[in-house]
Amino acid sequence: MTDFLWGAATAAYQIEGAANEDGRVPSIWDTYSHTPGLVLNGDTGDVAADHYHRWPEDVELMRELGLGAYRFSIAWPRVSDQRGIDFYSRLVDALLEYDIKPVATLYHWDLPQELEDAGGWTARDTAYRFAEYAERIGAALGDRVHLWTTLNEPWCSAFLGYGSGVHAPGRTDPVAALTAAHHLNLAHGLAAQALPGPVSVTLNLHHVRGEDADAVRQVDAVANRVFLGPMLDGAYPADLLEDTRGLTDWSFVRDGDEATCKAPLELLGVNYYAPTLVRRWDGVSPRATADGHGDGTASPWVGCDDIDFLPQPGPYTEMGWPIDATGLTELLLRLHREYPGLPLAITENGAAFDDRVDPDGRVRDQRRIEYLRDHLTAVERAREAGADVRGYFVWSLLDNFEWAYGYSKRFGIVHVDYATQKRTWKDSAHWYQDIVARFPQGPKFSGAKRRSASTD
C-alpha cells in the first residue's frame, strides 16, 4: 500500500435498512432502537438510507466523487444467509469496476442478538464466533477486498455499550465493559489469523490533554492503551491493571491471550473528531463527566471516578463536540513516535451540522468545508513531520442513522431526504471532489493556490 487513499466511510446499520429482508436476523441495535426511550424520537435503522436497495446509485456517487476507496461494514446479522453474502459480493464487484478499493469492516457494532442473549462481548465464546464469521466472509470476498478491518471503535462497543449503556446492548456494568474490551481484543487477533488478506483495525483514539499528567495518564489507559497495549505491544499496560484492581482481577485474560491479540497490521485506522480535556477531581466541586454523564448516570470511563472531563471552548459541531484540528496532528505524531514504521490512515473524520436543502436545491454547508479543510491540514502537518499517513476517509458519504441520536444529526457530504430517499450533493461533496482530484498524493494545502471558499 503506497498510494494515498481518498475515501468515504459508512456503516451497515446506519445506512442499509432492509432490516427484515433476505434472511437478516436481529442485531443488538435492532433491539436497542426498538426499545422505547433509548433512541431519540423513537427512530430505528429499519429503513435508514435504504442503501440495501439503492447501492448502485450510491456507488455511482462514489465514482462521481472520484473516490479511490470506500470503507463500508458488513452486517454480521445479514450474512447468516447466502443472500446477504451475495449483496456484499455485488457491492464489491461494482466498486472494483470503478477502480474503487473495497475496505471492509467486519464489526461496526451490530452484534447478532442471539449472541448477546448468550452473553455478548462479556462471553469469551463470542470472540471465537467472530473468528468463524471472519473466516466465512474472508472465503467469500477475500480475493477482492483491498483491506480488511476487524473492528471499528471497540472502545465504543465496550464502554458505551456495556459501561454507560448509551449504545447497544445498553448495559451499565464497569466490569462487563472491561471484560468486553478484552474479548474484543481477542476477537481482533483471532479474526486476523482467519482472514486471507491484509488486516487493519480502527480505533477511536482519544487525544487526552490536561495540566495534571497523572490524570491524563489514567484516562489514556482506559481510553487508548486498553487496546493499543494488547494489539500492538502484546500486553495490557500495568497501570491500567492497577487503576482498575478495585473492580476486577482481570482473570478473564487467559494465558496466551495477549500474544493472540497482537496480530500483524497492514495499517492502523484512526477515527478522530475532538480532543478530551481532563483534570483530577477535587472531591468538592460539582464533577464534570464526558459524554453527557454528569447527572449520576453510568459513566463509560471505567476506573476514572476521580477524574473531571472538562468542557472545552468552541466552536462546536451539532453534536456539541469542540472543533480543534490540532489534536489530530498531535495524536498522529504520538503514534508515529510510539510505533515508528506503523502505517496509519484516518478512517473517520467529519462533523454534524444543521444542513438544509435551500429552495434552489443547494445544501450550503460551509462550516463542514472549513472543518474538513482544517483537519486535512492537520493531516498534512503530521505527514510533513514524519507520520506515515496513507489515507483519509471522510465521515460520512451519506446522512444516516446516528445511533442513539436517531436521524437528528447529519454527518454526510451527501444529503438524504429520508421521506423520499433523494440524494443531494452538499457543497462539501463538491469541495471534496475537487480536493481528491487536485491532491492525488495526499493533502498539500501549503503552497497550493487558494480557490474560492466553496472549493478550498
Side-chain angles (χ1 to χ4, degrees):
M1 296 180 62
T2 57
D3 296 333
F4 193 86
L5 289 182
W6 287 105
T10 64
Y13 189 74
Q14 294 183 270
I15 65 167
E16 283 182 0
N20 302 302
E21 294 186 33
D22 292 344
R24 182 185 179 277
V25 299
S27 76
I28 57 175
W29 269 99
D30 293 289
T31 302
Y32 192 88
S33 67
H34 281 270
T35 301
L38 294 182
V39 175
L40 193 65
N41 300 322
D43 292 337
T44 75
D46 289 0
V47 177
D50 198 30
H51 174 74
Y52 189 76
H53 300 111
R54 298 171 184 269
W55 65 268
E57 176 185 356
D58 294 336
V59 172
E60 181 64 26
L61 284 174
M62 298 177 217
R63 184 193 67 79
E64 293 175 7
L65 281 165
L67 300 185
Y70 173 49
R71 179 177 175 255
F72 63 98
S73 77
I74 294 169
W76 192 352
R78 192 177 295 286
V79 296
S80 59
D81 189 289
Q82 182 61 41
R83 289 171 291 182
I85 296 175
D86 291 344
F87 163 72
Y88 293 109
S89 184
R90 291 191 297 272
L91 174 63
V92 166
D93 285 345
L95 293 170
L96 292 174
E97 183 179 351
Y98 287 145
D99 293 323
I100 301 171
K101 293 178 171 61
V103 178
T105 300
L106 288 176
Y107 189 68
H108 200 129
W109 309 350
D110 45 359
L111 184 72
Q113 182 61 45
E114 64 176 342
L115 291 182
E116 175 59 28
D117 293 341
W121 288 111
T122 66
R124 187 179 179 86
D125 184 62
T126 301
Y128 294 105
R129 296 287 296 274
F130 183 72
E132 293 169 0
Y133 154 58
E135 183 175 23
R136 182 159 48 90
I137 298 303
L141 305 177
D143 59 333
R144 290 166 288 162
V145 167
H146 176 70
L147 179 68
W148 293 100
T149 301
T150 55
L151 308 172
N152 176 80
E153 298 188 354
W155 187 89
C156 294
S157 299
F159 294 98
L160 298 183
Y162 292 85
S164 67
V166 298
H167 277 192
R171 297 206 224 173
T172 55
D173 179 350
V175 177
L178 292 171
T179 307
H182 174 61
H183 291 150
L184 284 156
N185 281 326
L186 181 63
H188 159 73
L190 292 169
Q193 295 175 6
L195 289 166
V199 172
S200 69
V201 67
T202 283
L203 304 178
N204 58 313
L205 298 172
H206 299 72
H207 182 59
V208 187
R209 292 170 169 164
E211 295 181 0
D212 186 323
D214 192 60
V216 170
R217 175 209 58 76
Q218 185 176 343
V219 173
D220 184 69
V222 76
N224 300 323
R225 290 181 288 118
V226 65
F227 299 107
L228 291 173
M231 288 183 180
L232 298 182
D233 300 320
Y236 284 99
D239 62 323
L240 171 66
L241 304 183
E242 177 63 23
D243 289 342
T244 57
R245 65 187 176 95
L247 295 170
T248 177
D249 61 3
W250 289 77
S251 58
F252 45 79
V253 181
R254 299 184 185 177
D255 289 346
D257 280 3
E258 290 162 297
T260 299
C261 298
K262 185 182 179 183
L265 293 180
E266 185 76 6
L267 62 76
L268 175 65
V270 177
N271 290 359
Y272 175 88
Y273 293 94
T276 301
L277 182 62
V278 303
R279 71 180 177 192
R280 186 73 56 191
W281 182 43
D282 61 15
V284 177
S285 59
R287 181 166 169 261
T289 312
D291 297 306
H293 298 281
D295 56 359
T297 56
S299 168
W301 298 101
V302 173
C304 295
D305 294 340
D306 59 346
I307 300 294
D308 264 341
F309 291 82
L310 301 175
Q312 299 177 64
Y316 307 97
T317 70
E318 287 297 312
M319 298 292 288
W321 298 342
I323 300 173
D324 185 347
T326 64
L328 178 55
T329 301
E330 293 165 10
L331 176 60
L332 292 171
L333 292 179
R334 170 201 173 167
L335 293 169
H336 172 59
R337 289 192 304 271
E338 295 183 2
Y339 301 101
L342 177 63
L344 308 169
I346 308 304
T347 39
E348 283 185 27
N349 177 239
F353 292 110
D354 186 18
D355 304 321
R356 303 176 186 276
V357 180
D358 290 339
D360 62 0
R362 183 173 163 187
V363 182
R364 293 170 169 83
D365 60 337
Q366 182 62 29
R367 291 184 67 196
R368 180 174 290 104
I369 292 173
E370 293 168 357
Y371 178 100
L372 295 176
R373 190 180 197 284
D374 286 349
H375 286 77
L376 285 171
T377 301
V379 172
E380 177 187 356
R381 289 171 178 161
R383 280 162 55 94
E384 289 175 343
D388 186 8
V389 185
R390 300 190 180 185
Y392 178 93
F393 293 76
V394 65
W395 184 268
S396 177
L397 177 68
L398 304 170
D399 289 337
N400 54 43
F401 176 83
E402 185 48 40
W403 308 113
Y405 292 93
Y407 296 101
S408 68
K409 308 298 181 185
R410 292 182 177 270
F411 275 91
I413 60 173
V414 175
H415 182 277
V416 176
D417 182 326
Y418 297 114
T420 65
Q421 294 297 336
K422 180 181 178 181
R423 274 75 161 138
T424 301
W425 284 43
K426 302 177 187 180
D427 282 0
S428 60
H430 294 286
W431 179 87
Y432 194 57
Q433 178 191 46
D434 179 69
I435 293 299
V436 170
R438 290 172 60 198
F439 304 110
Q441 300 304 314
K444 194 68 177 175
F445 294 122
S446 57
K449 183 177 180 181
R450 180 82 179 192
R451 295 192 179 187
S452 66
S454 63
T455 58
D456 187 349

